[in-house]
Amino acid sequence: MADDVATRFFPVRDYDLEATLTSGQTFRWIRTQAGWIGEIEGRWVRVQQTPDGLLAECSTSERAGEWGWFDHYFQLGINYSDMIKLLPRDEPMQAALDYCRGLRLLRQNPWECLAGFILSSTKQIPQIQQIVQRMGQRLSTPLTLSWLDTPVYSFPKPEIVAEAGESILRECKAGFRAPYLWEAACRIQQGELDLESLKNVSCDEARRQLMTLNGVGRKIADCVLLFAYGFQEAFPIDVWVARALHEYYFKGTGTPGLQEMQTFSQSHFGEMAGYAQQYLFHYIRTNRKT
DNA sequence: TTCCAGGGTAAGC
DNA sequence: GCTTACCATGGA
């Protein structure tokens, strides 16, 4: 039956599931009393933090026993202690690292990630989550288990969004982002932009292609490069990261321009700049709220 | 009420 | 080239 559930424990140290799922890189996980419920590539998934790792459950309607997709999504193969050694040893970076040790970068589905960040502009994270949730309710069929009353909606594929049209996206409260998302869905559905092929090109080339989409600039492209394609050198600069750079690294030198911050981040944070960015973002956004 | 939110675009200098 | 108004919506 589709209600059968497979369970597996993944031993992993330094993995902060809560920080990872609430740090604004993904918008669709639901917190419940019994862990986080979500969907990965069509599978119903529940994940719980334990002292020594992650406890995972998934629906077994397809290929039970193969968990490579889980490992890939949560990036369990990353050598965490080696990774953080590559971060700069300056004081603010170490403070951010101490604050959210175990925060990880996920490897998400490119279309869902792209769509989520097209919807993100001048929106707070809870509002982005609401729009994504409405789109799922409107355009997807729920994944659910009979004994569980929390339905999970997959994110609608490009062809579904393309056919739905802009007006439905506006009804989901996408606002002025609705035409951007609809156009992106149409171009992908028609094969004008191949998100799969971007896995095989350089970071710069993938960024160039993403930015041909209307409504996708440097920041949104960098989010997709980092959270979906695994380009760890990508360094998305939003209002919070700009604030962090200004306060921690450009103290007393006037307001740095975007280009200046971009150049600095590349030379200062190195090949793991994307992790540095995520730590600074989560640190300044959640630690400092009054 | 006003300001701000994981921005981008196009019009105006 | 660089700055600025505007886009839609809800929370603080």
Side-chain angles (χ1 to χ4, degrees):
Chain A
M1 285 297 289
D3 276 9
D4 284 346
V5 169
T7 302
R8 181 156 167 181
F9 176 70
F10 293 86
V12 53
R13 296 173 56 192
D14 291 314
Y15 206 116
D16 187 336
L17 187 62
E18 157 110 18
T20 299
L21 296 182
T22 62
S23 62
Q25 51 181 318
T26 175
F27 306 108
R28 217 155 47 73
W29 287 88
I30 300 169
R31 186 205 307 267
T32 74
Q33 290 185 337
W36 295 88
I37 295 178
E39 175 264 354
I40 301 174
E41 301 300 333
R43 302 173 189 83
W44 177 92
V45 183
R46 180 162 61 187
V47 194
Q48 292 176 263
Q49 178 92 59
T50 78
D52 344 288
L54 301 179
L55 181 61
E57 301 162 88
C58 76
S59 55
T60 58
S61 49
E62 46 183 291
R63 284 186 298 179
E66 298 178 16
W67 288 84
W69 53 272
F70 185 91
D71 195 297
H72 182 256
Y73 182 91
F74 285 99
Q75 289 288 290
L76 301 181
I78 294 287
N79 187 322
Y80 189 77
S81 56
D82 284 352
M83 186 279 293
I84 60 177
K85 286 177 190 162
L86 296 173
L87 297 174
R89 304 213 169 271
D90 63 76
E91 197 276 327
M93 186 73 258
Q94 293 302 314
L97 184 55
D98 287 344
Y99 175 70
C100 43
R101 174 175 292 266
L103 170 59
R104 306 291 192 113
L105 293 178
L106 302 169
R107 188 71 63 88
Q108 301 176 58
N109 174 274
W111 162 243
E112 175 176 345
C113 186
L114 172 63
F117 281 98
I118 287 176
L119 293 171
S120 76
S121 72
T122 58
K123 278 288 181 199
Q124 298 181 60
I125 290 170
Q127 295 179 258
I128 304 166
Q129 292 170 330
Q130 287 175 12
I131 300 170
V132 169
Q133 171 78 1
R134 289 189 198 101
M135 284 183 63
Q137 290 173 346
R138 183 71 186 261
L139 298 171
S140 297
T141 52
L143 290 169
T144 187
L145 301 179
S146 61
W147 44 272
L148 187 80
D149 57 5
T150 305
V152 175
Y153 296 88
S154 60
F155 189 77
K157 302 284 180 218
E159 53 269 28
I160 302 294
V161 176
E163 187 179 356
E166 181 187 324
S167 60
I168 288 184
L169 300 182
R170 285 190 185 271
E171 289 171 17
C172 296
K173 305 299 182 185
F176 63 82
R177 309 152 197 83
Y180 293 154
L181 182 54
W182 184 69
E183 282 177 37
C186 290
R187 283 194 55 196
I188 290 162
Q189 189 263 330
Q190 290 168 8
E192 292 178 31
L193 176 64
D194 182 1
L195 294 181
E196 272 304 305
S197 72
L198 298 189
K199 293 176 179 174
N200 304 315
V201 303
S202 70
C203 183
D204 286 342
E205 171 60 16
R207 181 187 293 114
R208 187 193 68 75
Q209 291 197 37
L210 288 170
M211 288 178 65
T212 64
L213 293 170
N214 207 11
V216 178
R218 173 67 187 248
K219 188 269 170 182
I220 291 177
D222 279 354
C223 284
V224 180
L225 294 173
L226 184 60
F227 303 139
Y229 290 103
F231 288 109
Q232 295 165 328
E233 68 267 41
F235 193 93
I237 300 179
D238 74 315
V239 290
W240 290 101
V241 174
R243 204 168 287 158
L245 291 176
H246 187 199
E247 289 190 17
Y248 304 149
Y249 295 98
F250 289 83
K251 198 79 176 175
T253 62
T255 304
L258 194 56
Q259 186 57 51
E260 191 180 356
M261 290 190 286
Q262 207 68 250
T263 305
F264 168 79
S265 65
Q266 276 195 331
S267 61
H268 184 73
F269 295 109
E271 61 180 300
M272 292 298 162
Y275 277 93
Q277 175 276 153
Q278 197 64 5
Y279 287 129
L280 291 173
F281 173 80
H282 192 63
Y283 178 54
I284 196 169
R285 192 177 78 88
T286 64
N287 186 32
R288 205 186 70 148
K289 250 179 178 172
T290 51

